[in-house]
Amino acid sequence: MGSPHLPKLTTTLLHSYSEAALRNAGELLVEASLLRDHDHMARAFFLAVASIEEAGKALLAFDAQGRNLSDPAVCTKLKTLMESHGHKINYALSMWALSSPDQHEALKVALDLIFHIKQGREPSMYSDLRTDPDRVQTPREIVRATAARDCVRLAENCLAHAHRHVSEKIPAKFTAAQNRLFTMKTAKFQEMLNVEDFWWYYISRMEAGQQDIAEAVLGYERDHIKTGKPFRTAE
């Protein structure tokens, strides 16, 4: 997917992409385990992170089969997400956490892990120049043995969950509103979430039994942002 030219995304292609990413995640995990067992901890950490990314990509490609692949905006967004190191890590860990019997505790753990894995990804592979004091930094001195072992174990858990997900689930169909929200610019969505009036609107929808956040976002945009009439004075 690194090419600037986007291939035509189809359910068949995404299914194949998911399977290929799972296989690669497994191979990366085997290699990370070998490096760990031979005390090459920095590289073991890096390949374990790469395995987690591939597991996240496999899940993204699998779930994307339920999206509107005839919409160029949806396909472009999918391509962007499946090429993002951070998003693939986020997706793998959040999906793993949500599959846990104790979702609340698992999500707290996942949020902490996401931060440390992202921070350690580049330093575990490349030497660098640092300040305070000015010095050379090498991967071996940065990655602790316990962190590498924990990361390999986490990669095992993420891959096991990804295998279960694609073998037991059917890709959910996304609604038109959900696809529209998916392609909405992040800044625009965040701006709406910071508007108190939107939350009063959403609460009123929940009280009416309509809990879909995507439908609420599009409804608020249509009826209140575009018209310039706040919800609380439009009742």
Side-chain angles (χ1 to χ4, degrees), residues 56-215:
K57 181 193 292 179
L59 291 169
L60 277 164
F62 180 83
D63 292 341
Q65 293 175 75
R67 291 205 175 273
N68 177 13
L69 300 177
S70 63
D71 184 342
V74 168
C75 294
T76 298
K77 184 65 177 286
L78 285 171
K79 180 178 185 290
T80 299
L81 295 181
M82 289 189 288
E83 291 178 349
S84 165
H85 297 301
H87 190 82
K88 288 181 288 188
I89 291 170
N90 290 352
Y91 205 71
L93 289 177
S94 60
M95 293 290 283
W96 163 72
L98 289 171
S99 72
S100 170
D102 186 352
Q103 289 187 0
H104 178 72
E105 185 61 31
L107 281 170
K108 288 198 298 183
V109 171
L111 286 171
D112 183 58
L113 289 170
I114 285 169
F115 172 78
H116 289 294
I117 287 173
K118 288 180 179 178
Q119 289 291 105
R121 183 185 181 277
E122 295 296 315
S124 71
M125 178 57 75
Y126 306 107
S127 58
D128 200 2
L129 292 174
R130 309 296 292 177
T131 57
D132 298 324
D134 294 349
R135 68 193 188 281
V136 174
Q137 174 181 284
T138 64
R140 179 172 285 274
E141 70 187 87
I142 289 297
V143 178
R144 295 177 293 109
T146 53
R149 294 190 187 99
D150 288 346
C151 196
V152 172
R153 187 161 51 248
L154 178 61
E156 292 171 349
N157 291 336
C158 287
L159 182 57
H161 168 257
H163 274 294
R164 286 195 303 272
H165 185 85
V166 303
S167 64
E168 297 173 4
K169 304 287 186 180
I170 296 173
K173 289 294 183 184
F174 291 90
T175 65
Q178 289 166 342
N179 280 312
R180 172 69 181 84
L181 180 59
F182 179 68
T183 59
M184 182 179 285
K185 291 186 181 300
T186 302
K188 183 177 181 180
F189 182 44
Q190 288 295 333
E191 182 181 358
M192 187 180 299
L193 296 184
N194 289 329
V195 175
E196 180 183 351
D197 190 62
F198 166 75
W199 291 106
W200 286 114
Y201 174 79
Y202 186 43
I203 289 170
S204 75
R205 289 180 61 91
M206 287 194 294
E207 290 173 345
Q210 302 167 347
Q211 299 190 23
D212 190 328
I213 186 70
E215 293 285 355

Side-chain angles (χ1 to χ4, degrees), residues 16-51:
S16 297
Y17 199 32
S18 179
E19 289 187 332
L22 275 182
R23 286 194 300 272
N24 195 38
E27 292 170 4
L28 287 164
L29 179 56
V30 168
E31 292 159 7
S33 301
L34 286 170
L35 289 167
R36 174 203 59 195
D37 295 344
H38 288 82
D39 199 33
H40 294 287
M41 295 305 185
R43 237 54 93 212
F45 182 94
F46 185 87
L47 290 186
V49 173
S51 177

